[in-house]
Amino acid sequence: MYRISPHVRSFALALLAGVLLATLWVNADPASYYDFIEWRIADLVLPGWIWQGTVSLTAFMIVTDMLMALFFFVIGKELWEAMVLERGALAGKRAFLPMGLSFGGLAGAALAWLLLSLLIETAEEAVPGGGWTAPLGTDALLVCLFGRAVFGSRPALHLVMLIAIATDIFALLLLGFSKAELNLRLLWLLLPLGAGLLLHHRYGRLPGPGLSERARRAGQSLLPCLVAGALCWFGVAAAGMPASLGLLPLIPAIAHAERSFGLFAEAESFLIDPLNRLVRLLIWPVMVILFLFGLIRGGIDFAAFAPTTLVMLGSLWLGRPLGMILALIALASAFGARLPRGLARRDLPLAILLLSMGFTVPAVAIEASLPGGLMREAARMGMAISLLAGPLAVLLARLMPRHRPANS
């Protein structure tokens, strides 16, 4: 089994470092912490045909909507390669089980939020039937961090990471579509579509052996990718969709390797295609971005415990596992879906437990889905408590019998 790049662990630790610092800050001096994250750096007045009203540049907006697009570009590249490249982990029928578990978990978390919100009075400002997008996402980095301690380098680690990445991206898409309005702003989506098609037409293939050295250098240039990326991000943001997904339409258009070496494979550091070169250039910036994201969105106020905390925790720890289990039963009974080769049955409960964590995407969704103030902070505390599922999975893995590979 291929080695996972050590940068993934560094990403997770950078995120946790930001969360720890933010939590210490918000509990020691909450006023200065909230002043920091809400500080208006500048107010931009854009033409009405681009954006209605004033755009306030805050620390939250810059990190979440702009810089985090680079992180989702990195993990989106891994998901796309797994689905379409030769030997991809999700190529063809291999995608059946992971995608089914991903959608089952999303549905279970959303339904649990709606049901628990009816049973528990969360807050006076709560909107009936609202907030269901808050618990949808998980955290691919923390799943990898704890998953390595649970599974080592066995296939279960790569499967659970793929499910986590797919869940995060689909959750952001659902958040965007739930907030989108049918108006002319959606026409801005033609901009990333056009930029992607043009980039793919001109630079989307690796240079052939018969080309001149000048043509080969032009085909390997990253400048067209950067220009197209700026247009893609702007078009997605102007359309009212989550701006953090603004670079995803660009991924299929960039020249790439012909086969997949695995999820975050260390071997990809030796590839020279433009897509892998771009990702290598982003490693250190993304590490800093994740620290800043943890600092700005990871502050857990210990005094914020409220009924919304229980709703968020119940959605992640009860709704998502039940949704995934029901999806697995449905796939097995309707289509005879079997576990992938090398994946033991004992791996499934541990994988589901790891996927019951929620941080990166829920931290974004809470801001967009819930009314401001105490309700958001209470939901953020539930999100933080859900991270205990990671150490719990590690403990259970130590107590369970030794792994025996499945023969299916």
Side-chain angles (χ1 to χ4, degrees):
M1 182 60 65
Y2 53 82
R3 288 171 54 90
I4 294 178
S5 171
H7 295 303
V8 181
R9 182 174 181 271
S10 300
F11 288 163
L13 293 178
L15 177 67
L16 290 176
V19 171
L20 177 61
L21 179 57
T23 300
L24 293 174
W25 187 354
V26 74
N27 286 281
D29 190 358
S32 65
Y33 177 77
Y34 290 117
D35 286 344
F36 165 67
I37 64 175
E38 296 171 2
W39 170 44
R40 289 191 176 185
I41 300 172
D43 290 325
L44 303 179
V45 180
L46 301 177
W49 55 275
I50 295 179
W51 192 269
Q52 295 293 332
T54 301
V55 176
S56 297
L57 288 179
T58 62
F60 173 82
M61 177 189 175
I62 292 174
V63 173
T64 303
D65 292 340
M66 301 174 68
L67 298 180
M68 282 295 285
L70 299 174
F71 166 68
F72 286 108
F73 175 83
V74 170
I75 66 171
K77 173 251 189 189
E78 299 296 330
L79 180 64
W80 179 80
E81 286 184 339
M83 295 178 66
V84 304
L85 296 191
E86 181 185 352
R87 298 188 183 182
L90 297 181
K93 295 182 179 180
R94 297 176 183 175
F96 207 54
L97 179 65
M99 289 301 151
L101 291 175
S102 177
F103 288 122
L106 289 169
L111 291 175
W113 176 279
L114 294 175
L115 179 60
L116 292 172
S117 296
L118 292 175
L119 297 176
I120 303 174
E121 184 178 352
T122 53
E124 294 182 359
E125 64 269 27
V127 178
W132 60 271
T133 56
L136 293 186
T138 177
D139 195 292
L141 297 177
L142 298 182
V143 163
C144 177
L145 183 67
F146 291 108
R148 294 189 74 162
V150 172
F151 301 122
S153 59
R154 292 190 284 113
L157 173 62
H158 307 95
L159 177 65
V160 74
M161 287 178 63
L162 283 169
I163 296 174
I165 292 173
T167 300
D168 281 347
I169 291 176
F170 292 145
L172 282 175
L173 288 172
L174 285 171
L175 176 64
F177 284 117
S178 69
K179 299 296 181 181
E181 299 178 2
L182 293 178
N183 53 36
L184 293 178
R185 284 184 61 188
L186 293 178
L187 292 177
W188 279 109
L189 292 176
L190 295 175
L191 183 59
L193 176 62
L197 290 175
L198 182 59
L199 179 67
H200 180 71
H201 176 71
R202 295 292 302 273
Y203 305 100
R205 296 174 181 83
L206 294 176
L211 295 179
S212 64
E213 183 62 25
R214 180 178 180 182
R216 290 178 63 83
R217 285 199 300 267
Q220 294 284 343
S221 175
L222 299 182
L223 181 59
C225 301
L226 300 178
V227 174
L231 294 175
C232 279
W233 181 89
F234 182 83
V236 171
M241 300 296 289
S244 52
L245 297 180
L247 297 179
L248 294 188
L250 194 67
I251 295 174
I254 302 175
H256 51 78
E258 296 181 353
R259 54 160 289 190
S260 172
F261 287 84
L263 192 67
F264 291 106
E266 194 173 29
E268 292 178 345
S269 62
F270 300 100
L271 301 179
I272 61 172
D273 59 280
L275 185 56
N276 279 291
R277 286 165 56 210
L278 273 173
V279 169
R280 285 200 296 274
L281 289 174
L282 290 175
I283 287 174
W284 288 104
V286 165
M287 206 172 298
V288 175
I289 290 166
L290 288 168
F291 170 79
L292 293 175
F293 181 81
L295 179 64
I296 290 173
R297 284 293 89 191
I300 309 302
D301 187 349
F302 294 141
F305 186 89
T308 306
T309 304
L310 300 177
V311 175
M312 172 63 84
L313 190 59
S315 301
L316 293 171
W317 277 8
L318 297 177
R320 178 170 294 156
L322 286 175
M324 297 179 73
I325 292 170
L326 292 175
L328 182 63
I329 294 173
L331 289 171
S333 59
F335 304 102
R338 296 186 299 176
L339 296 181
R341 183 178 298 276
L343 183 66
R345 290 184 179 179
R346 64 151 257 170
D347 293 332
L348 279 174
L350 295 173
I352 290 174
L353 185 57
L354 287 171
L355 290 164
S356 299
M357 294 186 292
F359 189 81
T360 308
V361 174
V364 176
I366 284 172
E367 189 74 17
S369 305
L370 301 179
L374 293 179
M375 191 174 182
R376 287 182 184 171
E377 298 308 315
R380 190 170 289 112
M381 172 168 276
M383 174 190 73
I385 296 174
S386 76
L387 299 184
L388 295 176
L392 180 59
V394 175
L395 177 62
L396 290 178
R398 299 292 184 268
L399 297 176
M400 293 174 71
R402 291 175 63 90
H403 167 71
R404 293 182 180 180
N407 296 321
S408 57

